[in-house]
PDB file of all heavy atoms in Angstrom:
ATOM      1  N   ILE K 834      15.386 -14.186  26.386  1.00 97.00           N
ATOM      2  CA  ILE K 834      16.091 -13.694  25.202  1.00 97.00           C
ATOM      3  C   ILE K 834      16.494 -14.876  24.332  1.00 97.00           C
ATOM      4  O   ILE K 834      16.316 -14.858  23.105  1.00 97.00           O
ATOM      5  CB  ILE K 834      17.312 -12.855  25.583  1.00 97.00           C
ATOM      6  CG1 ILE K 834      16.875 -11.599  26.335  1.00 97.00           C
ATOM      7  CG2 ILE K 834      18.158 -12.515  24.364  1.00 97.00           C
ATOM      8  CD1 ILE K 834      18.023 -10.770  26.889  1.00 97.00           C
ATOM      9  N   TYR K 835      17.033 -15.916  24.952  1.00 96.00           N
ATOM     10  CA  TYR K 835      17.427 -17.114  24.205  1.00 96.00           C
ATOM     11  C   TYR K 835      16.205 -17.824  23.641  1.00 96.00           C
ATOM     12  O   TYR K 835      16.250 -18.379  22.540  1.00 96.00           O
ATOM     13  CB  TYR K 835      18.219 -18.060  25.119  1.00 96.00           C
ATOM     14  CG  TYR K 835      19.482 -17.433  25.662  1.00 96.00           C
ATOM     15  CD1 TYR K 835      19.526 -16.923  26.947  1.00 96.00           C
ATOM     16  CD2 TYR K 835      20.627 -17.349  24.865  1.00 96.00           C
ATOM     17  CE1 TYR K 835      20.681 -16.347  27.447  1.00 96.00           C
ATOM     18  CE2 TYR K 835      21.780 -16.778  25.356  1.00 96.00           C
ATOM     19  CZ  TYR K 835      21.811 -16.278  26.648  1.00 96.00           C
ATOM     20  OH  TYR K 835      22.952 -15.691  27.130  1.00 96.00           O
ATOM     21  N   TYR K 836      15.112 -17.817  24.401  1.00 96.00           N
ATOM     22  CA  TYR K 836      13.903 -18.504  23.940  1.00 96.00           C
ATOM     23  C   TYR K 836      13.377 -17.872  22.656  1.00 96.00           C
ATOM     24  O   TYR K 836      13.019 -18.581  21.705  1.00 96.00           O
ATOM     25  CB  TYR K 836      12.830 -18.450  25.026  1.00 96.00           C
ATOM     26  CG  TYR K 836      11.535 -19.119  24.615  1.00 96.00           C
ATOM     27  CD1 TYR K 836      11.352 -20.489  24.781  1.00 96.00           C
ATOM     28  CD2 TYR K 836      10.500 -18.378  24.037  1.00 96.00           C
ATOM     29  CE1 TYR K 836      10.173 -21.109  24.374  1.00 96.00           C
ATOM     30  CE2 TYR K 836       9.329 -18.992  23.639  1.00 96.00           C
ATOM     31  CZ  TYR K 836       9.162 -20.345  23.815  1.00 96.00           C
ATOM     32  OH  TYR K 836       8.000 -20.957  23.410  1.00 96.00           O
ATOM     33  N   TYR K 837      13.316 -16.540  22.607  1.00 96.00           N
ATOM     34  CA  TYR K 837      12.724 -15.864  21.462  1.00 96.00           C
ATOM     35  C   TYR K 837      13.704 -15.633  20.318  1.00 96.00           C
ATOM     36  O   TYR K 837      13.286 -15.591  19.141  1.00 96.00           O
ATOM     37  CB  TYR K 837      12.130 -14.515  21.890  1.00 96.00           C
ATOM     38  CG  TYR K 837      10.850 -14.653  22.666  1.00 96.00           C
ATOM     39  CD1 TYR K 837      10.810 -14.349  24.024  1.00 96.00           C
ATOM     40  CD2 TYR K 837       9.679 -15.095  22.065  1.00 96.00           C
ATOM     41  CE1 TYR K 837       9.635 -14.484  24.753  1.00 96.00           C
ATOM     42  CE2 TYR K 837       8.511 -15.244  22.777  1.00 96.00           C
ATOM     43  CZ  TYR K 837       8.489 -14.930  24.111  1.00 96.00           C
ATOM     44  OH  TYR K 837       7.322 -15.087  24.832  1.00 96.00           O
ATOM     45  N   PHE K 838      14.981 -15.470  20.610  1.00 97.00           N
ATOM     46  CA  PHE K 838      15.909 -15.037  19.583  1.00 97.00           C
ATOM     47  C   PHE K 838      17.091 -15.976  19.343  1.00 97.00           C
ATOM     48  O   PHE K 838      17.755 -15.861  18.309  1.00 97.00           O
ATOM     49  CB  PHE K 838      16.439 -13.633  19.920  1.00 97.00           C
ATOM     50  CG  PHE K 838      15.339 -12.632  20.144  1.00 97.00           C
ATOM     51  CD1 PHE K 838      14.979 -12.255  21.425  1.00 97.00           C
ATOM     52  CD2 PHE K 838      14.648 -12.094  19.066  1.00 97.00           C
ATOM     53  CE1 PHE K 838      13.963 -11.340  21.637  1.00 97.00           C
ATOM     54  CE2 PHE K 838      13.618 -11.177  19.273  1.00 97.00           C
ATOM     55  CZ  PHE K 838      13.281 -10.798  20.564  1.00 97.00           C
ATOM     56  N   GLY K 839      17.356 -16.867  20.252  1.00 96.00           N
ATOM     57  CA  GLY K 839      18.436 -17.830  20.035  1.00 96.00           C
ATOM     58  C   GLY K 839      19.737 -17.414  20.695  1.00 96.00           C
ATOM     59  O   GLY K 839      20.259 -18.104  21.562  1.00 96.00           O
ATOM     60  N   ASP K 840      20.308 -16.292  20.265  1.00 96.00           N
ATOM     61  CA  ASP K 840      21.549 -15.795  20.849  1.00 96.00           C
ATOM     62  C   ASP K 840      21.622 -14.284  20.677  1.00 96.00           C
ATOM     63  O   ASP K 840      20.723 -13.665  20.086  1.00 96.00           O
ATOM     64  CB  ASP K 840      22.775 -16.494  20.252  1.00 96.00           C
ATOM     65  CG  ASP K 840      22.872 -16.329  18.734  1.00 96.00           C
ATOM     66  OD1 ASP K 840      22.335 -15.349  18.195  1.00 96.00           O
ATOM     67  OD2 ASP K 840      23.493 -17.197  18.082  1.00 96.00           O
ATOM     68  N   LYS K 841      22.677 -13.703  21.175  1.00 97.00           N
ATOM     69  CA  LYS K 841      22.810 -12.235  21.177  1.00 97.00           C
ATOM     70  C   LYS K 841      22.851 -11.672  19.755  1.00 97.00           C
ATOM     71  O   LYS K 841      22.224 -10.650  19.457  1.00 97.00           O
ATOM     72  CB  LYS K 841      24.073 -11.838  21.929  1.00 97.00           C
ATOM     73  CG  LYS K 841      24.272 -10.329  22.061  1.00 97.00           C
ATOM     74  CD  LYS K 841      25.553 -10.014  22.834  1.00 97.00           C
ATOM     75  CE  LYS K 841      25.758  -8.516  22.972  1.00 97.00           C
ATOM     76  NZ  LYS K 841      27.024  -8.189  23.692  1.00 97.00           N
ATOM     77  N   GLU K 842      23.564 -12.326  18.869  1.00 96.00           N
ATOM     78  CA  GLU K 842      23.671 -11.835  17.495  1.00 96.00           C
ATOM     79  C   GLU K 842      22.312 -11.863  16.790  1.00 96.00           C
ATOM     80  O   GLU K 842      21.930 -10.883  16.120  1.00 96.00           O
ATOM     81  CB  GLU K 842      24.686 -12.662  16.696  1.00 96.00           C
ATOM     82  CG  GLU K 842      24.834 -12.187  15.261  1.00 96.00           C
ATOM     83  CD  GLU K 842      25.883 -12.980  14.497  1.00 96.00           C
ATOM     84  OE1 GLU K 842      26.995 -13.107  15.011  1.00 96.00           O
ATOM     85  OE2 GLU K 842      25.570 -13.479  13.387  1.00 96.00           O
ATOM     86  N   ALA K 843      21.598 -12.962  16.931  1.00 97.00           N
ATOM     87  CA  ALA K 843      20.269 -13.050  16.316  1.00 97.00           C
ATOM     88  C   ALA K 843      19.327 -12.019  16.913  1.00 97.00           C
ATOM     89  O   ALA K 843      18.469 -11.464  16.207  1.00 97.00           O
ATOM     90  CB  ALA K 843      19.720 -14.458  16.486  1.00 97.00           C
ATOM     91  N   PHE K 844      19.474 -11.746  18.196  1.00 98.00           N
ATOM     92  CA  PHE K 844      18.665 -10.731  18.863  1.00 98.00           C
ATOM     93  C   PHE K 844      18.948  -9.344  18.268  1.00 98.00           C
ATOM     94  O   PHE K 844      18.039  -8.591  17.929  1.00 98.00           O
ATOM     95  CB  PHE K 844      18.962 -10.760  20.366  1.00 98.00           C
ATOM     96  CG  PHE K 844      18.133  -9.842  21.210  1.00 98.00           C
ATOM     97  CD1 PHE K 844      16.872  -9.417  20.810  1.00 98.00           C
ATOM     98  CD2 PHE K 844      18.610  -9.407  22.452  1.00 98.00           C
ATOM     99  CE1 PHE K 844      16.107  -8.565  21.600  1.00 98.00           C
ATOM    100  CE2 PHE K 844      17.853  -8.567  23.251  1.00 98.00           C
ATOM    101  CZ  PHE K 844      16.609  -8.137  22.812  1.00 98.00           C
ATOM    102  N   TYR K 845      20.219  -9.011  18.129  1.00 97.00           N
ATOM    103  CA  TYR K 845      20.594  -7.711  17.556  1.00 97.00           C
ATOM    104  C   TYR K 845      20.046  -7.566  16.137  1.00 97.00           C
ATOM    105  O   TYR K 845      19.493  -6.524  15.780  1.00 97.00           O
ATOM    106  CB  TYR K 845      22.126  -7.573  17.537  1.00 97.00           C
ATOM    107  CG  TYR K 845      22.602  -6.289  16.896  1.00 97.00           C
ATOM    108  CD1 TYR K 845      22.803  -5.143  17.651  1.00 97.00           C
ATOM    109  CD2 TYR K 845      22.870  -6.224  15.528  1.00 97.00           C
ATOM    110  CE1 TYR K 845      23.243  -3.961  17.063  1.00 97.00           C
ATOM    111  CE2 TYR K 845      23.294  -5.044  14.932  1.00 97.00           C
ATOM    112  CZ  TYR K 845      23.493  -3.923  15.716  1.00 97.00           C
ATOM    113  OH  TYR K 845      23.919  -2.758  15.127  1.00 97.00           O
ATOM    114  N   ILE K 846      20.166  -8.621  15.347  1.00 96.00           N
ATOM    115  CA  ILE K 846      19.682  -8.563  13.964  1.00 96.00           C
ATOM    116  C   ILE K 846      18.162  -8.374  13.944  1.00 96.00           C
ATOM    117  O   ILE K 846      17.627  -7.635  13.110  1.00 96.00           O
ATOM    118  CB  ILE K 846      20.105  -9.839  13.205  1.00 96.00           C
ATOM    119  CG1 ILE K 846      21.624  -9.831  13.001  1.00 96.00           C
ATOM    120  CG2 ILE K 846      19.394  -9.939  11.854  1.00 96.00           C
ATOM    121  CD1 ILE K 846      22.176 -11.123  12.428  1.00 96.00           C
ATOM    122  N   ALA K 847      17.459  -9.039  14.870  1.00 97.00           N
ATOM    123  CA  ALA K 847      16.000  -8.872  14.948  1.00 97.00           C
ATOM    124  C   ALA K 847      15.638  -7.432  15.307  1.00 97.00           C
ATOM    125  O   ALA K 847      14.693  -6.859  14.747  1.00 97.00           O
ATOM    126  CB  ALA K 847      15.425  -9.842  15.975  1.00 97.00           C
ATOM    127  N   VAL K 848      16.379  -6.839  16.234  1.00 98.00           N
ATOM    128  CA  VAL K 848      16.139  -5.440  16.621  1.00 98.00           C
ATOM    129  C   VAL K 848      16.425  -4.512  15.458  1.00 98.00           C
ATOM    130  O   VAL K 848      15.647  -3.585  15.177  1.00 98.00           O
ATOM    131  CB  VAL K 848      17.007  -5.077  17.842  1.00 98.00           C
ATOM    132  CG1 VAL K 848      16.987  -3.567  18.096  1.00 98.00           C
ATOM    133  CG2 VAL K 848      16.527  -5.808  19.091  1.00 98.00           C
ATOM    134  N   LEU K 849      17.526  -4.745  14.766  1.00 97.00           N
ATOM    135  CA  LEU K 849      17.888  -3.910  13.613  1.00 97.00           C
ATOM    136  C   LEU K 849      16.820  -4.002  12.520  1.00 97.00           C
ATOM    137  O   LEU K 849      16.410  -2.983  11.954  1.00 97.00           O
ATOM    138  CB  LEU K 849      19.240  -4.390  13.072  1.00 97.00           C
ATOM    139  CG  LEU K 849      19.929  -3.531  12.014  1.00 97.00           C
ATOM    140  CD1 LEU K 849      20.331  -2.175  12.576  1.00 97.00           C
ATOM    141  CD2 LEU K 849      21.157  -4.259  11.458  1.00 97.00           C
ATOM    142  N   ASN K 850      16.378  -5.209  12.253  1.00 97.00           N
ATOM    143  CA  ASN K 850      15.342  -5.436  11.240  1.00 97.00           C
ATOM    144  C   ASN K 850      14.054  -4.714  11.608  1.00 97.00           C
ATOM    145  O   ASN K 850      13.449  -4.001  10.787  1.00 97.00           O
ATOM    146  CB  ASN K 850      15.098  -6.942  11.109  1.00 97.00           C
ATOM    147  CG  ASN K 850      14.204  -7.290   9.928  1.00 97.00           C
ATOM    148  OD1 ASN K 850      13.680  -6.429   9.232  1.00 97.00           O
ATOM    149  ND2 ASN K 850      14.022  -8.586   9.713  1.00 97.00           N
ATOM    150  N   GLU K 851      13.633  -4.856  12.853  1.00 97.00           N
ATOM    151  CA  GLU K 851      12.396  -4.233  13.302  1.00 97.00           C
ATOM    152  C   GLU K 851      12.512  -2.702  13.292  1.00 97.00           C
ATOM    153  O   GLU K 851      11.548  -2.003  12.950  1.00 97.00           O
ATOM    154  CB  GLU K 851      12.052  -4.714  14.723  1.00 97.00           C
ATOM    155  CG  GLU K 851      10.856  -4.037  15.351  1.00 97.00           C
ATOM    156  CD  GLU K 851       9.560  -4.222  14.575  1.00 97.00           C
ATOM    157  OE1 GLU K 851       9.440  -5.230  13.847  1.00 97.00           O
ATOM    158  OE2 GLU K 851       8.672  -3.353  14.672  1.00 97.00           O
ATOM    159  N   ALA K 852      13.669  -2.174  13.651  1.00 97.00           N
ATOM    160  CA  ALA K 852      13.865  -0.728  13.689  1.00 97.00           C
ATOM    161  C   ALA K 852      13.716  -0.122  12.291  1.00 97.00           C
ATOM    162  O   ALA K 852      13.042   0.904  12.106  1.00 97.00           O
ATOM    163  CB  ALA K 852      15.232  -0.388  14.273  1.00 97.00           C
ATOM    164  N   TYR K 853      14.327  -0.749  11.312  1.00 97.00           N
ATOM    165  CA  TYR K 853      14.204  -0.258   9.940  1.00 97.00           C
ATOM    166  C   TYR K 853      12.801  -0.502   9.385  1.00 97.00           C
ATOM    167  O   TYR K 853      12.263   0.332   8.642  1.00 97.00           O
ATOM    168  CB  TYR K 853      15.248  -0.929   9.037  1.00 97.00           C
ATOM    169  CG  TYR K 853      16.570  -0.198   8.996  1.00 97.00           C
ATOM    170  CD1 TYR K 853      17.590  -0.513   9.869  1.00 97.00           C
ATOM    171  CD2 TYR K 853      16.798   0.818   8.067  1.00 97.00           C
ATOM    172  CE1 TYR K 853      18.804   0.157   9.831  1.00 97.00           C
ATOM    173  CE2 TYR K 853      17.994   1.505   8.023  1.00 97.00           C
ATOM    174  CZ  TYR K 853      19.000   1.170   8.908  1.00 97.00           C
ATOM    175  OH  TYR K 853      20.196   1.848   8.864  1.00 97.00           O
ATOM    176  N   SER K 854      12.207  -1.628   9.740  1.00 97.00           N
ATOM    177  CA  SER K 854      10.861  -1.916   9.270  1.00 97.00           C
ATOM    178  C   SER K 854       9.867  -0.891   9.793  1.00 97.00           C
ATOM    179  O   SER K 854       8.910  -0.521   9.099  1.00 97.00           O
ATOM    180  CB  SER K 854      10.431  -3.325   9.708  1.00 97.00           C
ATOM    181  OG  SER K 854      11.244  -4.317   9.109  1.00 97.00           O
ATOM    182  N   ALA K 855      10.090  -0.411  11.018  1.00 97.00           N
ATOM    183  CA  ALA K 855       9.140   0.526  11.641  1.00 97.00           C
ATOM    184  C   ALA K 855       9.117   1.862  10.908  1.00 97.00           C
ATOM    185  O   ALA K 855       8.044   2.421  10.670  1.00 97.00           O
ATOM    186  CB  ALA K 855       9.492   0.730  13.109  1.00 97.00           C
ATOM    187  N   ILE K 856      10.280   2.385  10.517  1.00 98.00           N
ATOM    188  CA  ILE K 856      10.269   3.665   9.810  1.00 98.00           C
ATOM    189  C   ILE K 856       9.680   3.505   8.412  1.00 98.00           C
ATOM    190  O   ILE K 856       8.949   4.369   7.919  1.00 98.00           O
ATOM    191  CB  ILE K 856      11.673   4.310   9.748  1.00 98.00           C
ATOM    192  CG1 ILE K 856      11.563   5.732   9.183  1.00 98.00           C
ATOM    193  CG2 ILE K 856      12.648   3.470   8.948  1.00 98.00           C
ATOM    194  CD1 ILE K 856      12.843   6.538   9.280  1.00 98.00           C
ATOM    195  N   ARG K 857       9.943   2.364   7.780  1.00 97.00           N
ATOM    196  CA  ARG K 857       9.351   2.127   6.473  1.00 97.00           C
ATOM    197  C   ARG K 857       7.832   1.975   6.587  1.00 97.00           C
ATOM    198  O   ARG K 857       7.089   2.416   5.725  1.00 97.00           O
ATOM    199  CB  ARG K 857       9.963   0.868   5.838  1.00 97.00           C
ATOM    200  CG  ARG K 857      11.460   0.908   5.630  1.00 97.00           C
ATOM    201  CD  ARG K 857      11.868   1.833   4.483  1.00 97.00           C
ATOM    202  NE  ARG K 857      11.975   3.232   4.840  1.00 97.00           N
ATOM    203  CZ  ARG K 857      13.099   3.811   5.289  1.00 97.00           C
ATOM    204  NH1 ARG K 857      14.197   3.087   5.466  1.00 97.00           N
ATOM    205  NH2 ARG K 857      13.124   5.106   5.545  1.00 97.00           N
ATOM    206  N   SER K 858       7.371   1.371   7.682  1.00 97.00           N
ATOM    207  CA  SER K 858       5.925   1.239   7.907  1.00 97.00           C
ATOM    208  C   SER K 858       5.283   2.601   8.091  1.00 97.00           C
ATOM    209  O   SER K 858       4.170   2.849   7.592  1.00 97.00           O
ATOM    210  CB  SER K 858       5.681   0.370   9.146  1.00 97.00           C
ATOM    211  OG  SER K 858       4.305   0.267   9.426  1.00 97.00           O
ATOM    212  N   SER K 859       5.972   3.511   8.780  1.00 97.00           N
ATOM    213  CA  SER K 859       5.418   4.856   8.959  1.00 97.00           C
ATOM    214  C   SER K 859       5.284   5.566   7.616  1.00 97.00           C
ATOM    215  O   SER K 859       4.352   6.346   7.418  1.00 97.00           O
ATOM    216  CB  SER K 859       6.320   5.670   9.899  1.00 97.00           C
ATOM    217  OG  SER K 859       7.493   6.144   9.253  1.00 97.00           O
ATOM    218  N   GLU K 860       6.206   5.306   6.694  1.00 97.00           N
ATOM    219  CA  GLU K 860       6.138   5.913   5.363  1.00 97.00           C
ATOM    220  C   GLU K 860       5.035   5.299   4.523  1.00 97.00           C
ATOM    221  O   GLU K 860       4.373   5.991   3.748  1.00 97.00           O
ATOM    222  CB  GLU K 860       7.484   5.762   4.664  1.00 97.00           C
ATOM    223  CG  GLU K 860       8.602   6.573   5.333  1.00 97.00           C
ATOM    224  CD  GLU K 860       9.983   6.187   4.861  1.00 97.00           C
ATOM    225  OE1 GLU K 860      10.113   5.213   4.085  1.00 97.00           O
ATOM    226  OE2 GLU K 860      10.954   6.872   5.261  1.00 97.00           O
ATOM    227  N   ALA K 861       4.816   4.001   4.702  1.00 96.00           N
ATOM    228  CA  ALA K 861       3.774   3.313   3.930  1.00 96.00           C
ATOM    229  C   ALA K 861       2.392   3.854   4.273  1.00 96.00           C
ATOM    230  O   ALA K 861       1.465   3.767   3.462  1.00 96.00           O
ATOM    231  CB  ALA K 861       3.840   1.808   4.178  1.00 96.00           C
ATOM    232  N   GLN K 862       2.232   4.410   5.476  1.00 97.00           N
ATOM    233  CA  GLN K 862       0.938   4.937   5.911  1.00 97.00           C
ATOM    234  C   GLN K 862       0.673   6.358   5.400  1.00 97.00           C
ATOM    235  O   GLN K 862      -0.415   6.903   5.638  1.00 97.00           O
ATOM    236  CB  GLN K 862       0.878   4.925   7.432  1.00 97.00           C
ATOM    237  CG  GLN K 862       0.952   3.539   8.052  1.00 97.00           C
ATOM    238  CD  GLN K 862       1.045   3.568   9.559  1.00 97.00           C
ATOM    239  OE1 GLN K 862       0.518   4.461  10.212  1.00 97.00           O
ATOM    240  NE2 GLN K 862       1.730   2.592  10.129  1.00 97.00           N
ATOM    241  N   LEU K 863       1.624   6.946   4.685  1.00 97.00           N
ATOM    242  CA  LEU K 863       1.458   8.341   4.230  1.00 97.00           C
ATOM    243  C   LEU K 863       0.569   8.454   2.990  1.00 97.00           C
ATOM    244  O   LEU K 863       0.165   9.557   2.634  1.00 97.00           O
ATOM    245  CB  LEU K 863       2.830   8.951   3.925  1.00 97.00           C
ATOM    246  CG  LEU K 863       3.806   9.025   5.106  1.00 97.00           C
ATOM    247  CD1 LEU K 863       5.161   9.580   4.638  1.00 97.00           C
ATOM    248  CD2 LEU K 863       3.233   9.877   6.229  1.00 97.00           C
ATOM    249  N   ASP K 864       0.311   7.331   2.320  1.00 95.00           N
ATOM    250  CA  ASP K 864      -0.539   7.333   1.120  1.00 95.00           C
ATOM    251  C   ASP K 864      -0.011   8.294   0.078  1.00 95.00           C
ATOM    252  O   ASP K 864      -0.761   9.099  -0.487  1.00 95.00           O
ATOM    253  CB  ASP K 864      -1.977   7.690   1.520  1.00 95.00           C
ATOM    254  CG  ASP K 864      -3.001   7.232   0.471  1.00 95.00           C
ATOM    255  OD1 ASP K 864      -2.631   6.384  -0.364  1.00 95.00           O
ATOM    256  OD2 ASP K 864      -4.136   7.725   0.492  1.00 95.00           O
ATOM    257  N   LEU K 865       1.282   8.200  -0.210  1.00 97.00           N
ATOM    258  CA  LEU K 865       1.920   9.133  -1.127  1.00 97.00           C
ATOM    259  C   LEU K 865       1.367   9.068  -2.540  1.00 97.00           C
ATOM    260  O   LEU K 865       1.288  10.081  -3.239  1.00 97.00           O
ATOM    261  CB  LEU K 865       3.442   8.866  -1.159  1.00 97.00           C
ATOM    262  CG  LEU K 865       4.189   9.006   0.176  1.00 97.00           C
ATOM    263  CD1 LEU K 865       5.670   8.700  -0.018  1.00 97.00           C
ATOM    264  CD2 LEU K 865       3.998  10.404   0.773  1.00 97.00           C
ATOM    265  N   ASP K 866       0.957   7.877  -2.960  1.00 96.00           N
ATOM    266  CA  ASP K 866       0.458   7.723  -4.328  1.00 96.00           C
ATOM    267  C   ASP K 866      -0.829   8.514  -4.581  1.00 96.00           C
ATOM    268  O   ASP K 866      -1.170   8.796  -5.731  1.00 96.00           O
ATOM    269  CB  ASP K 866       0.212   6.241  -4.644  1.00 96.00           C
ATOM    270  CG  ASP K 866       1.511   5.452  -4.744  1.00 96.00           C
ATOM    271  OD1 ASP K 866       2.556   6.054  -5.081  1.00 96.00           O
ATOM    272  OD2 ASP K 866       1.480   4.227  -4.492  1.00 96.00           O
ATOM    273  N   ALA K 867      -1.536   8.837  -3.511  1.00 97.00           N
ATOM    274  CA  ALA K 867      -2.812   9.541  -3.669  1.00 97.00           C
ATOM    275  C   ALA K 867      -2.658  11.057  -3.658  1.00 97.00           C
ATOM    276  O   ALA K 867      -3.640  11.779  -3.863  1.00 97.00           O
ATOM    277  CB  ALA K 867      -3.782   9.122  -2.557  1.00 97.00           C
ATOM    278  N   LEU K 868      -1.443  11.548  -3.417  1.00 98.00           N
ATOM    279  CA  LEU K 868      -1.211  12.983  -3.297  1.00 98.00           C
ATOM    280  C   LEU K 868      -0.520  13.546  -4.543  1.00 98.00           C
ATOM    281  O   LEU K 868       0.200  12.824  -5.235  1.00 98.00           O
ATOM    282  CB  LEU K 868      -0.331  13.270  -2.078  1.00 98.00           C
ATOM    283  CG  LEU K 868      -0.908  12.878  -0.720  1.00 98.00           C
ATOM    284  CD1 LEU K 868       0.158  13.071   0.358  1.00 98.00           C
ATOM    285  CD2 LEU K 868      -2.139  13.700  -0.397  1.00 98.00           C
TER     286      LEU K 868
END
């Protein structure tokens, strides 16, 4: 955990960032502009 993220706070922020990025990525795959 320390090797990849540094400390607990940085780890939490990385998880939070990835969690929000994942739902936005799912929306980006919907090809809304073409519908």
Side-chain angles (χ1 to χ4, degrees):
I834 296 174
Y835 300 101
Y836 179 86
Y837 286 110
F838 305 102
D840 58 25
K841 184 180 180 181
E842 180 177 309
F844 184 25
Y845 177 90
I846 291 173
V848 168
L849 189 66
N850 189 356
E851 174 60 26
Y853 271 92
S854 296
I856 188 171
R857 301 287 83 90
S858 177
S859 77
E860 293 166 354
Q862 297 174 31
L863 299 177
D864 201 16
L865 300 179
D866 290 333
L868 298 173

